[in-house]
Amino acid sequence: GLALDAMLRSVAASFGDTPPLIVEIGCYVGYSSTRMSSKLPPGGRLVTIEVDCYHAAIARSVLELSGMSPRVEVWIGHSENLIPRLMSRFGPNCVH
């Protein structure tokens, strides 16, 4: 948890604020997704990409229980297929 917080502080320092969109590759059971989404600015989103549907189901449950599910989208599939969809979903300004 502390390493994630430090990473987010570092990213925020680079951009001047916490980015409005965070993309996570591999969510396992949703711990990191829950922790990172709690640091998002108002209106911020987190997309986590998980290839294993069982892990995605557990992560969705954890996010729901934590109250973070409205801020997080769990995409199921291979990152090579899903990453190109980010721009169509969030617009061209979603990447730096």
Side-chain angles (χ1 to χ4, degrees):
L2 296 176
L4 279 173
D5 291 348
M7 184 263 315
L8 286 174
R9 280 192 302 275
S10 174
V11 169
S14 297
F15 288 99
D17 199 2
T18 303
L21 175 66
I22 297 173
V23 178
E24 175 186 42
I25 309 298
C27 66
Y28 188 47
V29 295
Y31 174 80
S32 298
S33 302
T34 302
R35 187 96 182 195
M36 288 189 289
S37 62
S38 72
K39 306 294 185 191
L40 285 167
R45 303 288 298 162
L46 185 141
V47 173
T48 184
I49 298 171
E50 176 57 56
V51 71
D52 187 300
C53 62
Y54 295 108
H55 289 163
I58 293 167
R60 284 182 174 142
S61 295
V62 168
L63 289 160
E64 186 67 34
L65 289 170
S66 72
M68 292 293 118
S69 62
R71 307 178 99 183
V72 180
E73 296 180 23
V74 179
W75 293 4
I76 300 172
H78 290 274
S79 58
E80 64 188 12
N81 299 324
L82 297 176
I83 288 174
R85 297 181 186 176
L86 288 169
M87 285 210 306
S88 64
R89 171 72 174 86
F90 296 101
N93 292 329
C94 75
V95 293
H96 290 276

